Amino acid sequence: MKILAIDGNSIINRAFYGIKLLTTKSGLYTNGVYGFMSILNRLLEAEDPDGVVVAFDLHAPTFRHKEYAEYKAGRKGMPDELRSQMPILKKLLTLFGYTCLEMEGFEADDILGTMASLCEKSGNICVIATGDRDSFQLVSDSTKVLLSATKMGRPEITPYTPETIFEKYGVKPIQMIEIKALQGDASDHIPGVPGVGEKTADDLIRKYGDIDYIYDHLDELDIRDSLRIKLAAGKDSAYLSRFLGTINREVPIDNNVENYRIGTRQDVELAKMLSELEFFSMLEKLGLSAVESAPETAEAKAYATVSEFELLAEAKKSHSCDILLSDGDLFVVSNQKVAQTDIDTFATVLSSGDIKKRVYDSKALHKACIDKGIEVSNVQFDTMLAAYLINPSSSEYSLTRLSEEYLIPTPEIDGEQLATAALSSEVMDKLTAVLCETKQDKLLHDIEIPLAKVLAEMEHAGFLVDTDAITRYGNILGERIEQLQTAIYDEVGYEFNLNSPKQLGVALFEKLGLPCKKKTKSGYSTNADVLEELKPLHPAVEHLLEYRTLSKLKSTYCDGLTAVVAADGRIHSTLNQTETRTGRISSSEPNLQNIPVRRPEGRELRRFFKAKDGFVLCDADYSQIELRVLAHIANDKNMINAFLSDTDIHTLTASQVFNMPIPMVTPQMRSSAKAVNFGIVYGIGPFSLGKDIGVSTKEASAYIKGYLATYPEVDAYMHRVVEDAKESGFAETVFGRRRLLPELKNSNGMLRAFGERVARNMPIQGTAADIIKIAMIRVSERLKKELPEATLILQVHDELIVEAPEEKAELACRILTEEMENAVQLKVPLTVDAHFGATWYDAKD
């Protein structure tokens, strides 16, 4: 029989600090439990034990504390975020059928030692999993220790046997206690012998075996007199340290090893608990369903399969239906009746404004219908968008995940796809209620659902590109990249892999002798910040920075863009509506929002995005929208008056922060004030601001203080919004979009500070994102009425691009400007800059 004995506190502690903080949507911390279970699963797969015992420490004095009050004194207490996970872990392990053990007066190590002893006496095998090397003393022919550690950010488990202990330390496992007796252990406040370090302790025990021999023959030992004096003076401390470091192997636990076999797994409660913890991948791996297992879940509803024509009549009769699009087929539900059909057959229902529709992923449905010339009308609910609004931090919004999360049973109906369609209806019912509870139903109906249709039309339209010109530009970049590569080789003196951080570090810091600014676990740091600091010191660094920039442009944009051009010559990027936590739209495959524009080489790429023949691109961009939102939310009179008087906000800020009349504000002053203005929105601190604008932290701190004195209501907002978020547990935009912020209650100062920054900037960023979404909807609707030949084709943060007939360019720009400026009424005006041209470059610049 094999027993896997785990040091519960040690493993969950490493898991907690090795994984970023995770919470459920209700704010329950789970990262320690998740990491522990991941490690446990690896151990189970590797060892296949017959029994599992997990030992825990109790928050109470042990026999060691009674002997030595300083034992483990000064250790930092367990953070609340981890402490709250301990009972969760113990319950979870019990539901799996594993044994949890803890004993007052003893530590988890002592329980592990006792388990090892019981196994040895009964002829069984014990495998100890821990992160603590103290357990090495337990290693024997029948006991193996698996040491858990994190290396290079990855968990690693190393096995230790008597042979590996001797190979690494040159002693028997039991002699590890003797080494500790001499060298002590600072982490546990075990004193050891003052003045005796690790190497000396190792040498003494290798040579003389144990401290008994050493002290029995102290005058005869072949050692330095100074060491002999230290050993003599530290005798009592050595014996105390051995006592403290020796694992007790006689803890009064059940001594029948058979009673530690893995018990019956309690699937009902286990599935329910895993669902509450949102460990859905673990549920799937175990083949469990929280929905089917949870006894209090409502009984599954029965659905009837009908013909598509019968359901067509039912939808028209009830003026409502639920739709799920899967692999081009429609699965439609109405009054607990389900049918499989297709878009063409159901076109009259899809386009009917009299029939309310609930949809899973309405953008996908709109795209499928656009291809067939069908316009979907009266979408009232979108499951995926609703789930995103409820929990924007989630990584998945599948029906399976949502049904598990909300304990919704799969309806009774034959056929997997029909059952999924019926389940979709049940999920819609549940999420409708939850969305109303969070007061985000209006946000879904007025912004997200109409926007989904606009995004579908934009993806369908795409953006025309000049592939031949992109290829030629890529070739030009390629030639320049080769020149830079040759120049760097000449300057360094030999050829090497420029894309290898290790080889580059050797070239810069060893061959060229440049000062090392930062080192990582893998060697020298060669990131952009480091190279920017080194740039004035050697021409090779400047060439290297340019090499990296141009290589990125060529590979990601020149080569990358030409690879995704469709047969119609246009790039049809995917516009993601459920990706960001702030509500912003993101772009992928390819990401057209991320085309670099700060350098001329990057801006040049915009020349290759063009309008079709006879058309132009109309580009409109909000001016300082986030600062205007800040003025509105903070209700700062000085900032509001600046925007109302059409005064340049950055110049005004510079004037007041630097106590300088406006005519005397220099471009450098304005640039610094601009950095402060925008930095405040993102919660910038003095150190980061100083680095950005090239001043000392002290000067930057003075700028921030001057800024907050200039705009006192902004200062008040920064404090008020954090306190509101702490009380409610979330940050919120003007339109009611929420982001949960469990970090605000974290005991870790860095995480808490992160939560405070998000609490300050999420209402600003999120509101600006909502405004651009409203503008997109209004621009699209007005274009259809007044300029149907024109099409909204791209959104990049606060910028919209319309492709319009050349002779209607001014009208298109006017529509863009008016609808963007009037998307919402704030306490300050929204202003828009609009231009047009044959290419994106011409329209923008």
Side-chain angles (χ1 to χ4, degrees):
M1 179 176 173
K2 181 192 288 186
I3 296 289
L4 174 61
I6 301 172
D7 186 339
N9 287 76
S10 173
I11 297 300
I12 194 173
N13 193 66
R14 278 162 173 73
F16 176 80
Y17 288 106
I19 299 176
K20 69 176 183 178
L21 201 66
L22 300 175
T23 67
T24 64
K25 62 179 181 296
S26 63
L28 186 70
Y29 294 104
T30 60
N31 61 317
V33 177
Y34 182 84
F36 184 100
M37 296 306 297
S38 297
I39 293 171
L40 175 56
N41 286 333
R42 287 179 60 190
L43 294 170
L44 292 172
E45 290 176 6
E47 297 297 330
D48 191 23
D50 303 292
V52 174
V53 174
V54 186
F56 292 97
D57 294 328
L58 282 175
H59 189 59
T62 67
F63 69 90
R64 296 180 178 87
H65 294 90
K66 294 175 183 177
E67 181 71 23
Y68 183 59
E70 292 299 306
Y71 179 65
K72 292 192 175 180
R75 266 202 179 187
K76 188 177 179 181
M78 183 181 291
D80 292 339
E81 295 79 17
L82 176 54
R83 189 181 304 281
S84 66
Q85 297 183 57
M86 298 303 290
I88 296 171
L89 175 63
K90 293 173 185 177
K91 181 180 178 182
L92 191 60
L93 292 169
T94 301
L95 293 176
F96 269 102
Y98 308 139
T99 302
C100 293
L101 291 178
E102 51 195 13
M103 183 68 63
E104 187 169 346
F106 298 93
E107 298 179 62
D109 280 350
D110 301 317
I111 296 173
L112 298 177
T114 303
M115 286 303 306
S117 179
L118 291 175
C119 286
E120 288 174 10
K121 292 174 183 177
S122 58
N124 293 301
I125 297 171
C126 184
V127 178
I128 295 174
T130 180
D132 191 344
R133 285 179 168 78
D134 286 348
S135 291
F136 285 176
Q137 63 187 268
L138 303 175
V139 172
S140 68
D141 291 338
S142 62
T143 300
K144 175 175 65 175
V145 166
L146 300 177
L147 188 71
S148 176
T150 301
K151 292 188 178 180
M152 305 296 290
R154 295 183 178 181
E156 188 175 283
I157 297 174
T158 306
Y160 283 87
T161 63
E163 291 74 24
T164 51
I165 294 286
F166 187 82
E167 182 180 337
K168 184 166 185 177
Y169 298 99
V171 297
K172 299 175 182 178
I174 195 65
Q175 291 177 300
M176 297 297 293
I177 311 169
E178 309 296 331
I179 294 174
K180 178 169 283 195
L182 295 175
Q183 76 176 51
D185 186 342
S187 65
D188 287 343
H189 260 230
I190 295 176
V193 175
V196 174
E198 181 180 357
K199 185 177 187 307
T200 301
D202 284 350
D203 290 343
L204 286 170
I205 299 305
R206 287 187 186 193
K207 191 171 183 179
Y208 299 113
D210 56 40
I211 64 172
D212 291 332
Y213 184 92
I214 290 172
Y215 282 107
D216 286 345
H217 303 83
L218 187 58
D219 293 336
E220 307 162 20
L221 301 182
D222 182 19
I223 58 175
R224 302 184 310 276
D225 287 341
S226 59
L227 176 57
R228 199 183 321 273
I229 293 170
K230 291 176 183 177
L231 289 169
K235 180 177 180 180
D236 290 343
S237 182
Y239 277 97
L240 171 64
S241 298
R242 184 168 73 175
F243 171 79
L244 296 174
T246 301
I247 291 176
N248 188 311
R249 301 180 60 151
E250 296 181 353
V251 178
I253 60 175
D254 186 343
N255 62 10
N256 187 347
V257 176
E258 286 295 324
N259 291 337
Y260 296 111
R261 285 188 180 274
I262 298 173
T264 302
R265 199 173 73 184
Q266 301 175 51
D267 284 354
V268 171
E269 287 298 316
L270 180 60
K272 178 186 175 185
M273 188 173 186
L274 290 174
S275 179
E276 290 171 350
L277 294 172
E278 298 178 10
F279 291 175
F280 299 110
S281 59
M282 195 176 297
L283 264 174
E284 185 178 351
K285 186 175 181 179
L286 294 170
L288 297 177
S289 168
V291 175
E292 295 171 3
S293 302
E296 70 277 13
T297 302
E299 290 186 9
K301 292 181 182 178
Y303 280 70
T305 304
V306 298
S307 71
E308 54 188 329
F309 301 107
E310 188 176 343
L311 193 59
L312 188 65
E314 186 67 48
K316 290 178 179 178
K317 177 183 174 182
S318 62
H319 297 285
S320 66
C321 64
D322 300 335
I323 299 170
L324 178 66
L325 177 67
S326 178
D327 296 328
D329 292 321
L330 289 184
F331 295 85
V332 187
V333 184
S334 185
N335 288 335
Q336 291 182 229
K337 298 176 181 177
V338 189
Q340 180 176 352
T341 182
D342 56 65
I343 291 174
D344 292 324
T345 302
F346 225 68
T348 55
V349 170
L350 291 170
S351 60
S352 173
D354 295 328
I355 300 176
K356 296 178 181 179
K357 302 162 194 75
R358 300 193 302 179
V359 183
Y360 178 88
D361 191 1
S362 57
K363 188 185 78 169
L365 179 63
H366 284 300
K367 279 190 71 175
C369 290
I370 289 172
D371 290 336
K372 293 178 174 291
I374 299 169
E375 183 174 1
V376 181
S377 300
N378 202 3
V379 174
Q380 295 289 310
F381 190 84
D382 185 313
T383 310
M384 189 166 69
L385 295 178
Y388 167 66
L389 290 177
I390 293 167
N391 185 14
S393 298
S394 178
S395 59
E396 185 182 341
Y397 302 103
S398 67
L399 285 172
T400 301
R401 170 65 58 86
L402 294 173
S403 66
E404 294 282 6
E405 188 172 341
Y406 293 99
L407 298 177
I408 302 169
T410 302
E412 296 177 4
I413 187 171
D414 291 334
E416 183 178 344
Q417 290 179 309
L418 293 176
T420 302
L423 177 64
S424 177
S425 284
E426 297 296 313
V427 172
M428 289 171 181
D429 290 341
K430 178 64 177 179
L431 291 190
T432 297
V434 175
L435 197 68
C436 290
E437 289 173 13
T438 63
K439 300 178 181 179
Q440 296 184 96
D441 47 323
K442 183 175 174 60
L443 178 64
L444 174 69
H445 190 269
D446 293 351
I447 297 180
E448 296 295 348
I449 288 177
L451 179 69
K453 184 176 184 179
V454 174
L455 295 180
E457 293 167 348
M458 292 169 67
E459 290 182 6
H460 177 80
F463 204 145
L464 186 64
V465 292
D466 187 337
T467 53
D468 291 339
I470 294 176
T471 301
R472 288 194 297 272
Y473 186 55
N475 292 336
I476 293 172
L477 291 178
E479 291 175 3
R480 176 58 182 157
I481 290 167
E482 288 184 8
Q483 293 170 1
L484 288 167
Q485 185 171 277
T486 300
I488 294 168
Y489 291 158
D490 290 343
E491 288 155 354
V492 172
Y494 65 92
E495 293 187 8
F496 60 97
N497 183 356
L498 294 180
N499 300 312
S500 166
K502 186 173 182 179
Q503 294 184 34
L504 180 59
V506 171
L508 295 179
F509 305 114
E510 295 181 14
K511 180 65 170 66
L512 296 182
L514 297 176
C516 175
K517 299 292 183 179
K518 190 194 308 183
K519 292 198 78 171
T520 66
K521 290 181 180 179
S522 57
Y524 300 105
S525 173
T526 58
N527 63 27
D529 290 341
V530 169
L531 295 183
E532 284 292 341
E533 288 188 51
L534 297 173
K535 185 165 64 172
L537 303 181
H538 200 284
V541 181
E542 185 171 0
H543 288 149
L544 181 64
L545 283 167
E546 186 179 359
Y547 168 86
R548 283 185 174 180
T549 299
L550 299 187
S551 295
K552 173 77 172 177
L553 280 176
K554 184 178 187 305
S555 63
T556 302
Y557 298 104
C558 293
D559 300 341
L561 290 175
T562 54
V564 293
V565 177
D568 60 0
R570 304 176 78 94
I571 288 177
H572 299 267
S573 177
T574 298
L575 299 169
N576 305 302
Q577 205 171 347
T578 61
E579 289 288 329
T580 69
R581 296 184 178 186
T582 59
R584 279 192 175 275
I585 301 164
S586 65
S587 169
S588 61
E589 299 177 356
N591 182 359
L592 295 185
Q593 294 182 340
N594 204 33
I595 291 178
V597 295
R598 292 187 178 182
R599 290 174 57 105
E601 298 92 342
R603 286 196 296 274
E604 195 70 17
L605 289 168
R606 286 180 168 175
R607 294 188 188 277
F608 311 129
F609 289 82
K610 61 181 186 178
K612 60 187 177 183
D613 291 343
F615 281 65
V616 293
L617 299 178
C618 302
D619 185 295
D621 200 349
Y622 277 118
S623 174
Q624 302 161 344
I625 185 171
E626 291 188 349
L627 285 179
R628 293 170 191 270
V629 169
L630 174 60
H632 173 84
I633 294 178
N635 196 27
D636 189 283
K637 301 297 185 295
N638 291 342
M639 191 175 284
I640 289 172
N641 289 336
F643 282 122
L644 289 176
S645 63
D646 203 25
T647 304
D648 178 70
I649 189 71
H650 304 313
T651 300
L652 178 64
T653 300
S655 168
Q656 295 177 327
V657 167
F658 294 106
N659 193 25
M660 189 76 62
I662 285 180
M664 298 182 68
V665 170
T666 66
Q668 180 59 46
M669 290 178 180
R670 183 184 182 278
S671 178
S672 296
K674 182 178 180 180
V676 180
N677 270 327
F678 287 117
I680 287 292
V681 174
Y682 293 93
I684 199 168
F687 176 79
S688 297
L689 177 62
K691 192 174 180 181
D692 287 348
I693 63 177
V695 300
S696 69
T697 300
K698 184 177 180 181
E699 287 178 280
S701 179
Y703 292 170
I704 292 174
K705 289 177 182 176
Y707 174 93
L708 296 176
T710 300
Y711 303 117
E713 284 86 359
V714 170
D715 191 18
Y717 160 78
M718 294 295 183
H719 292 90
R720 182 179 67 252
V721 74
V722 171
E723 292 306 311
D724 289 347
K726 285 180 179 177
E727 185 175 342
S728 66
F730 57 83
E732 190 173 31
T733 71
V734 168
F735 299 93
R737 184 184 303 277
R738 295 182 178 184
R739 176 173 175 179
L740 297 175
L741 290 174
E743 294 88 353
L744 289 173
K745 295 181 180 179
N746 199 286
S747 62
N748 182 295
M750 290 183 64
L751 286 172
R752 196 165 57 249
F754 167 78
E756 291 175 359
R757 287 196 300 274
V758 174
R760 295 186 187 106
N761 69 49
M762 188 273 174
I764 301 165
Q765 282 187 285
T767 297
D770 289 337
I771 290 172
I772 193 75
K773 288 180 174 181
I774 294 169
M776 292 170 72
I777 296 165
R778 294 181 61 160
V779 166
S780 178
E781 289 175 348
R782 188 165 167 196
L783 286 175
K784 288 176 181 177
K785 292 177 183 176
E786 299 181 25
L787 191 53
E789 314 97 299
T791 308
L792 180 63
I793 61 172
L794 188 64
Q795 179 263 354
V796 179
H797 306 311
D798 306 324
E799 173 187 358
L800 296 181
I801 300 176
V802 166
E803 188 174 36
E806 188 172 2
E807 68 275 11
K808 301 287 184 68
E810 291 185 0
L811 174 59
C813 284
R814 186 168 74 248
I815 290 173
L816 272 169
T817 301
E818 291 175 358
E819 295 307 325
M820 290 174 72
E821 290 184 343
N822 294 292
V824 63
Q825 296 303 310
L826 302 180
K827 294 165 187 171
V828 298
L830 292 174
T831 60
V832 170
D833 298 318
H835 307 278
F836 63 88
T839 70
W840 190 2
Y841 185 97
D842 299 328
K844 186 65 181 174
D845 299 326

